[in-house]
């Protein structure tokens, strides 16, 4: 222990003087006794005690060496490793969008300024939530003034009645000549369904050549991406 180390030299000096046969009394007392010497006090040898002291010195030195040796060593903490959990499988999900109710439009003949409304139902049959978007239009086999004039809009309706009444908010607008990919701003959770409202309008500015024409095999392209 650090606080006791400075006291050891004085202690060893005292033991050394005792081993040499010298008195180990306080010097003041030694001088007082020297004036009235007492052989029994001053000259009495203590061989047996010296032997015990020598053993004690050896024991103390050995203890000190042992302590220093132990203090200068290195220590290792016990440790053990273990597997946190058994091996398991990780599987990716699947994005699947199905049309459960196909788009149908009224057979009513169109005129400039008129609009036809139809609905389609889509369902998320995959393993991940899906964000809906329009990726384009499938143009008719034959392009005419009538089909080139048509404007198509798509929105997500809460009910079929909302769609046919023309009150569904429009999320996408395009034509057969220009149809870009855009989000519908709506997502489908797992196993959820949504109603898409499709409106086809013949603008008031449609050319007169649009009369008595039709467009067949047209389609709206919808997909779902991981939400």
């Amino acid at each position: 222990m650090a606080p006791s180390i400075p006291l050891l030299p004085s202690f060893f000096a005292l033991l050394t003087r005792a081993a040499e046969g010298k008195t180990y009394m306080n010097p003041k007392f030694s001088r007082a006794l020297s004036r009235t010497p007492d052989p029994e006090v001053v000259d009495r040898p203590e061989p047996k005690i010296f032997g015990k002291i020598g053993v004690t010195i050896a024991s103390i030195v050995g203890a000190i060496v042992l302590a220093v040796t132990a203090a200068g060593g290195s220590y290792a903490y016990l440790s053990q490793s273990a597997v946190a959990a058994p091996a398991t499988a990780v599987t990716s999900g699947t994005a699947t969008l199905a049309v459960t109710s196909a788009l149908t439009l009224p057979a009513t003949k169109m005129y400039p300024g008129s609009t036809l409304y139809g609905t389609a139902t889509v369902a998320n049959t995959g393993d991940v939530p899906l964000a809906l978007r329009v990726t384009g239009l499938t143009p008719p086999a034959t392009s005419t003034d009538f089909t080139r004039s048509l404007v198509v809009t798509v929105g997500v309706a809460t009910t079929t009645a909302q769609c046919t009444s023309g009150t569904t908010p429009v999320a996408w607008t395009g034509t057969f000549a220009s149809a870009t990919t855009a989000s519908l701003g709506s997502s489908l959770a797992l196993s959820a369904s949504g109603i898409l409202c499709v409106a086809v309008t013949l603008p008031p500015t449609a050319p007169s050549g649009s009369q008595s024409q039709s467009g067949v095999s047209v389609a709206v392209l919808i997909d779902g991406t991981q939400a």
Side-chain angles (χ1 to χ4, degrees):
M1 293 181 290
S4 63
I5 290 176
L7 300 179
L8 291 177
S10 298
F11 178 68
F12 281 122
L14 178 61
L15 294 178
T16 302
R17 288 196 299 271
E20 293 174 354
K22 297 179 180 179
T23 179
Y24 36 88
M25 293 185 178
N26 187 295
K28 294 181 179 180
F29 290 179
S30 298
R31 287 195 297 270
L33 291 173
S34 63
R35 300 192 186 107
T36 56
D38 186 348
E40 293 183 357
V41 175
V42 178
D43 299 330
R44 183 174 56 195
E46 297 287 348
K48 295 183 180 180
I49 296 177
F50 293 160
K52 292 182 180 179
I53 291 176
V55 173
T56 303
I57 293 173
S59 300
I60 292 174
V61 172
I64 293 173
V65 172
L66 178 61
V68 172
T69 302
S74 59
Y75 300 89
Y77 293 100
L78 298 178
S79 63
Q80 177 63 51
S81 61
V83 179
T88 186
V90 179
T91 306
S92 61
T94 302
T96 307
L97 183 68
V99 177
T100 57
S101 177
L103 172 66
T104 57
L105 293 171
T108 306
K109 295 183 181 296
M110 300 187 72
Y111 54 89
S114 64
T115 300
L116 301 178
Y117 296 96
T119 61
T121 303
V122 294
N124 180 358
T125 58
D127 303 317
V128 296
L130 296 177
L132 299 176
R133 64 178 185 172
V134 176
T135 58
L137 299 172
T138 299
T142 301
S143 177
T144 64
D145 287 342
F146 173 66
T147 59
R148 286 190 294 269
S149 300
L150 294 174
V151 176
V152 180
T153 63
V154 181
V156 179
T158 55
T159 63
T160 300
Q162 183 196 43
C163 178
T164 55
S165 66
T167 58
T168 299
V170 174
W172 181 89
T173 302
T175 65
F176 290 108
S178 176
T180 59
T181 299
S183 171
L184 290 177
S186 179
S187 298
L188 292 179
L190 275 64
S191 303
S193 299
I195 299 173
L196 301 181
C197 180
V198 179
V200 179
T201 301
L202 182 63
T205 57
S208 58
S210 300
Q211 300 180 69
S212 303
Q213 294 182 345
S214 63
V216 294
S217 300
V218 298
V220 179
L221 304 178
I222 304 292
D223 76 1
T225 60
Q226 180 181 344

